[in-house]
Amino acid sequence: MSISTAARTGLLLGATLLLSCSPAEQNDTVDSVPEPAWGEGERSLSGNAYFFTMETLGDIQQVTDLQGATVYLFEAPEIRQTLDPQNEHAFTLTGIPDNVDVTLALVHEDYFPQLTATYRVGTEDLDKLNFQSVSNDILSLSAGRFNVDTSDETLCHMVTTVTAVSENQELWWAVGEPGAKVSIDPAVPADRGPLYFNTNVLPDLTLTETSEDGGVTVFGVDPGVYHWTAHKDGFTFDELTMKCVGGWVTNGVPPRALQAQPIE
């Protein structure tokens, strides 16, 4: 399961602040107020949220009728939208200034709180900022296989997909690129990741590179800002910057993931 080159400029200060303040304080302290202010810009951010639950052990199902989920801009929480299942949980957030870094947040009481990767808004709107949201029990079971307690709000989690060059690479379920290795800066403990998903869509300690699923995750690491890159002969890959916040999972969802680009 499981995601454009993301900007790193201006996030080093954010990394320090994330380590020194509580999640409730992070929204107000990480980023300076842009000009024009949040809510007064001309850009928009849009995408869809996709929800998954597991009522029976091992049987993951998509939920299309979920009520009460909210998407908001992590850097400016007043910019928000309640999702409507009748509109396929689509959203559009407006008032975004030019030349800023943005991270979107998704919350619902039955689903683990999730952030997107952090992306740079230039002078155009950003679309296809998708969420793949899993219920609390799915993430707890997955992390529990690696002795990580997801109720520990001092730790954070990250996941994305290394996606292949394919006809569906612009879709949220884009296929994975097998045989790629992922690097994370700063490095995380080896038993925390990167952990690669097998073809059964489960993190697998025996894997040292991506499977055809393409998924890769990190469980239970210290909050901060992490830069993700992928490597495979014959390809370059889009890169990701992820704000990892205690008590949250950050997910770089396709098509804004570690997308393969063939070397010409």
Side-chain angles (χ1 to χ4, degrees):
M1 57 179 298
S2 40
I3 291 167
S4 182
T5 300
R8 304 185 70 189
T9 305
L11 289 178
L12 293 178
L13 176 60
T16 302
L17 291 170
L18 278 165
L19 289 166
S20 62
C21 62
S22 69
E25 297 169 326
Q26 289 159 5
N27 292 353
D28 299 325
T29 58
V30 172
D31 297 285
S32 59
V33 177
E35 179 62 40
W38 295 113
E40 299 178 1
E42 298 181 356
R43 305 296 150 230
S44 66
L45 310 173
S46 61
N48 290 76
Y50 303 92
F51 298 91
F52 300 87
T53 190
M54 184 170 58
E55 296 184 0
T56 303
L57 186 63
D59 184 19
I60 297 176
Q61 298 291 331
Q62 184 175 354
V63 179
T64 59
D65 58 354
L66 186 75
Q67 302 276 356
T70 299
V71 168
Y72 65 87
L73 182 62
F74 192 68
E75 292 80 6
E78 68 275 13
I79 301 177
R80 59 177 52 226
Q81 180 179 333
T82 300
L83 303 185
D84 182 359
Q86 299 301 315
N87 191 34
E88 299 182 334
H89 296 115
F91 62 87
T92 300
L93 302 183
T94 59
I96 311 302
D98 290 353
N99 303 315
V100 293
D101 297 324
V102 295
T103 312
L104 299 185
L106 174 65
V107 291
H108 185 280
E109 61 182 357
D110 296 328
Y111 288 75
F112 206 84
Q114 184 177 135
L115 301 175
T116 64
T118 298
Y119 301 100
R120 185 70 173 177
V121 177
T123 57
E124 297 181 355
D125 299 338
L126 279 186
D127 62 1
K128 300 178 182 177
L129 295 169
N130 298 322
F131 291 92
Q132 294 174 352
S133 180
V134 296
S135 57
N136 294 323
D137 53 356
I138 292 178
L139 191 69
S140 296
L141 285 171
S142 296
R145 299 177 66 237
F146 304 96
N147 299 313
V148 173
D149 180 5
T150 56
S151 67
D152 184 347
E153 294 188 356
T154 68
L155 301 176
C156 62
H157 323 282
M158 296 175 284
V159 62
T160 189
T161 305
V162 181
T163 47
V165 177
S166 71
E167 63 183 12
N168 67 7
Q169 68 184 52
E170 291 299 311
L171 302 177
W172 67 272
W173 48 267
V175 299
E177 176 64 42
K181 294 182 180 293
V182 171
S183 300
I184 302 171
D185 182 24
V188 301
D191 62 341
R192 293 289 182 252
L195 303 168
Y196 299 98
F197 287 73
N198 59 32
T199 53
N200 293 320
V201 199
L202 291 171
D204 190 333
L205 277 173
T206 68
L207 296 180
T208 59
E209 58 188 26
T210 55
S211 71
E212 291 181 357
D213 174 78
V216 56
T217 189
V218 167
F219 286 125
V221 296
D222 291 331
V225 178
Y226 294 84
H227 188 64
W228 289 57
T229 54
H231 315 274
K232 181 180 178 179
D233 289 346
F235 295 91
T236 61
F237 293 85
D238 294 343
E239 301 177 3
L240 289 176
T241 292
M242 295 198 192
K243 291 180 179 177
C244 197
V245 175
W248 291 69
V249 59
T250 304
N251 192 348
V253 176
R256 297 189 178 275
L258 296 173
Q259 172 64 47
Q261 307 290 347
I263 297 176
E264 298 179 358

